Amino acid sequence: MNAAPPKITPMLQQYLEIKGQYPDTILFYRMGDFYEMFFDDAVTAAKVLGITLTSRSAKDEVNKIPMCGVPFHAVTGYLARMIKAGHRVAICEQVEDPKEAKGIVRREVVRVVSPGVTTDDQLLDAKADCYVCAASFDRKSAKEMLAGLAVVDVSTGRFQVSEVVFTASDPAPLIDEFTRLRPAELLLAQSEVEEWTGLTDLLTAHLGQLCVTGRPDVHFDFRSALVTLTEHFRTANLAGFGCAAYTAAISAAGALLLYLKETQKSELSHIRQLSPLNHGGYLIIDDASRRNLELTETLVGGQREGSLLAVLDRTATPMGARLLRRWLLFPLQEKEQIEARLTSVQELIRQPDTRTAMRDLLASVYDLERLCSRLVLGHGNARDMTAIKTSLAQLPALHALLTGCTSPLAQAMAAEFDLLADLHQLIDAAIRDDAPISLREGNLIREGYNAELDRLIVLLRDGKQLILALENSERERSGLAKLKVGYNKVFGYYFEVSRSQAEALPDYFIRKQTLVNAERFITPELKELENSIATAQERRLELEYELFLDVRGQLVAHNQRLLAVADLLARIDVLACFAELASRHRYCRPTINSDRALTITEGRHPVIERALEPGRFVPNDVHLDQEQDEILIITGPNMAGKSTVLRQTALIVLMAHLGSFVPAESADICLVDRIFTRVGAMDDLRRGQSTFMVEMNETANILNNATENSLVILDEIGRGTSTYDGLAIAWAVAEELAQKNGVGIKTLFATHYHELTDLAATNPRIQNYSIAVKEWNNTIIFLHKLVKGATNRSYGIQVASLAGVPAHVIARASEILKNIERGEFNLQGQPAIATGSKSKKNEPRQLPLFAPPSHPVLSLLASVNPDELTPKQALDLLYQALAGLDTSNR
């Protein structure tokens, strides 16, 4: 006999109905002061959150329904853990007053929180954008695919589209775009989720955690998406945004906007622009080069600390930190824009008082972008408004400082500066500084902002005094000095007089009770006052909430002004940050040329220099052009500093394209279109690629895409395979870089293959350089200096000794090295590498698989009979043997 199904109460029935609308989420169902989860959601949540899993009914095993819950006042922390675990959470609130409810209280999902869609501070990195991305795919040809991408940071309202052409065999362009934006969530048409599993697995390998969300196919229909976008932006088309030709991206953008509206239950008024993510005006750095140069995170461990971004980031605001990161990922390529930034930075360097004052004021500015978005999405509270007010209070002084600057960029920013005085005045007049986080506890609105609220506050604060004042008034009016006010739970407030004086009371006194010696009366005025006092608290809470929503609505109506000021402050912040860096660390202003020449004098690595004690870093000069010094072949031992010189050159060029000063005595930087790097050697096991395959993939990308305007950094090409193969590949790659398109490409090429130094004899644009070392007492001292000329030694054994390899191993290695340098085999046909003091003739040896090559002299002697030779023949044979011996030694 089958057991009966568990009993479903009206509350659980409501829960299941709402859950059915959001099947791919964890439903946080509000019950009083807790968010409860049931069934499978409870099992999942209990495991992720580490909370106790209980049951709704414990009468029998059949009726046990898994259940867990979290307190509503601490929900943000629990949400953060759910989102970081890759789950989407639907927040279901009570939308009806329980006092007025008939039956079960009505509940609705008010928002859906996902890894890519959130505005909660605890879920966001203040210094990085949080993108949700939608992708739509079209086939361009038999081999090529077109990916239309749309990304939104809902916490700031930034909405961008892009289109990328890629092939199944080479998805690198698409991977580059994703790794640059690093979305936390990816939306795909439901029918394409399975089709693109390989791509999403590859993206997860590059990005780490990636939440993939399937959406109805119809949402990605071009016509439907176009209607969704034009209705939102209230435009006839998207031509005004420069996006009309992005058909695949428009399909993705429409689906993405619809997803945001469904999850946020909001009109998203802070998203007012759709902009194309063009790469034409930017210096392009692919994913491999970003990782190799450690621009935003370290190569090992993926940590922000130790990256170029961490070293450059001295911004004072979260908006500035995010903008700096975007500038780093999208460096400028237009000389006029770069020079404008450099001039503004130089002015702030020369005016340290102005710079310091700006940074002090900016330090008091909160995250206006995300605060504004929280208000628009209906999540903002009074403390958010107070933070906005504090931020706006800094604007007049910042504007005055900016107006005092003379650089064209500063003047342009001063001209667009909106002081937002009206919004500051509104918040200051309406919102209390000590307002609580909750919007239902009162104490939100200042006295003096609303007359009715002021009356309610007076009633609550001075109710007894008002009763006593009415008592005095009625005494004077009636002439009865002994008239007094009393109170009990049955009648409330009342007037009491002796029975003998009752007849003297005015007609508006209404008798309520007769006692032995007294009469009790009420008046309309007394009962009205009593009712006002009794209902004042409830009405005050309602009115304060209404007034708060009205103030929030007024601020939301001006959200575009707030976001524009936030963007302006971010730009000021980054420019002041660049000036502070240059002033503190002796950075110089680079000159920008169009001559395809690059000259750095006394250049330094911005990250490594900061990690060393002041004065310890050894600077270096680098010159590259496309006439005589196009490719520098750099040799030298490990640990001498080859990789440092390579990386610092690329980073200095990149910093110049940001509009930043650079760590050097002087720098004349040519505009470059791309920076390519092939640095380091490690397996990429997540993608199933060996060291050599990773190396060759990156090398192929460079050879196929680098132009005469690119900068190429190569470190140890060919190490992942055999010596001869690696040398052959390295030689061919260097030749191709020198000859490509008849012009060649500016390249720094570090290698341990000393044979590559012979390339300088084959091409006048290839030069040999080395990292200097000094030999001392059978060891070496690293000088870390790049000098003209090649070296023919790697000093590997000396480096091993410095690393702490045991002395007897070092001695044996030195002996083996000498054997190798003498020749491959000895006269007995034994490998020379095996001979030496440790070789013993009486030790058994494994027979060789192949016979050793015969010596020419031995072969000659074996072919003659000395007893039959004449003296003349013997002399000729001797000369022949000597000639053969000389040929063998050579």
Side-chain angles (χ1 to χ4, degrees), residues 4 8 71 74 193 324 356 362 365 381 388 443 497 505 511 545 601 633 686 732 800-801 870:
I8 300 298
V193 172
L324 173 61
T356 300
L362 287 167
V365 174
N381 56 40
I388 292 175
N443 296 319
V497 295
L505 289 174
R511 181 179 279 106
Y545 182 67
T601 304
I633 303 295
R686 293 180 301 174
S801 178
T870 65

Side-chain angles (χ1 to χ4, degrees), residues 211-227:
C211 175
V212 179
T213 302
R215 299 288 292 161
D217 288 19
V218 67
H219 292 183
F220 288 83
D221 175 73
F222 173 76
R223 294 182 182 278
S224 175
L226 185 61
V227 170

Side-chain angles (χ1 to χ4, degrees), residues 393-648:
Q394 317 308 317
L395 298 187
L398 276 167
H399 181 249
L401 291 170
L402 198 61
T403 304
C405 296
T406 59
S407 68
L409 188 55
Q411 287 295 302
M413 290 190 293
E416 65 176 284
F417 210 111
D418 185 349
L419 294 177
L420 299 177
D422 53 332
L423 302 187
H424 178 272
Q425 184 177 359
L426 170 63
I427 300 173
D428 188 49
I431 305 300
R432 292 176 53 153
D433 292 334
D434 60 349
I437 294 177
S438 173
L439 303 183
R440 296 289 189 175
E441 296 178 4
N443 296 319
L444 299 173
I445 307 298
R446 286 183 184 274
E447 289 187 55
Y449 180 72
N450 179 272
E452 183 183 356
L453 178 62
D454 290 347
R455 183 182 67 82
L456 293 172
I457 293 174
V458 170
L459 283 173
L460 290 169
R461 184 178 59 207
D462 304 325
K464 290 185 178 180
Q465 283 73 18
L466 292 173
I467 295 290
L468 292 175
L470 182 60
E471 178 186 72
N472 291 329
S473 173
E474 292 298 342
R475 280 179 180 174
E476 293 177 0
R477 189 181 307 177
S478 65
L480 301 175
K482 292 186 178 181
L483 178 71
K484 62 180 181 180
V485 172
Y487 176 84
N488 64 35
K489 293 182 179 180
V490 177
F491 298 115
Y493 287 100
Y494 55 85
F495 288 110
E496 183 176 297
V497 295
S498 64
R499 296 185 66 177
S500 60
Q501 294 179 321
E503 298 300 325
L505 289 174
D507 294 339
Y508 57 83
F509 274 73
I510 303 170
R511 181 179 279 106
K512 290 295 294 181
Q513 187 179 22
T514 301
L515 303 178
V516 176
N517 296 316
E519 296 276 0
R520 291 176 176 174
F521 296 83
I522 60 170
T523 66
E525 187 177 1
L526 178 62
K527 294 317 292 182
E528 182 180 355
L529 180 57
E530 179 184 356
N531 290 335
S532 297
I533 293 173
T535 60
Q537 180 62 23
E538 183 177 355
R539 175 57 186 151
R540 176 187 177 179
L541 295 179
E542 292 176 357
L543 182 57
E544 286 206 61
Y545 182 67
E546 293 170 3
L547 293 172
F548 175 83
L549 294 183
D550 177 69
V551 173
R552 189 165 73 182
Q554 293 183 59
L555 293 174
V556 168
H558 295 279
N559 72 84
Q560 291 305 303
R561 293 172 62 196
L562 278 166
L563 291 173
V565 166
D567 177 69
L568 180 62
L569 295 181
R571 283 179 277 153
I572 297 171
D573 190 11
V574 177
L575 293 172
C577 163
F578 284 167
E580 186 72 13
L581 282 169
S583 179
R584 286 190 180 189
H585 302 292
R586 298 185 302 107
Y587 289 2
C588 74
R589 175 173 180 164
T591 56
I592 308 298
N593 70 70
S594 302
D595 302 329
R596 295 182 182 173
L598 167 64
T599 304
I600 299 171
T601 304
E602 298 286 286
R604 312 186 302 275
H605 193 295
V607 180
I608 296 177
E609 177 191 31
R610 202 76 60 82
L612 299 176
E613 294 179 8
R616 289 292 305 276
F617 188 89
V618 178
N620 274 295
D621 301 343
V622 171
H623 175 75
L624 288 169
D625 56 40
Q626 288 177 282
E627 297 174 357
Q628 293 184 333
D629 297 277
E630 184 172 69
I631 297 182
L632 306 188
I633 303 295
I634 303 174
T635 51
N638 286 315
M639 295 174 59
K642 298 191 302 296
S643 296
T644 298
V645 171
L646 267 60
R647 284 184 168 95
Q648 75 185 39

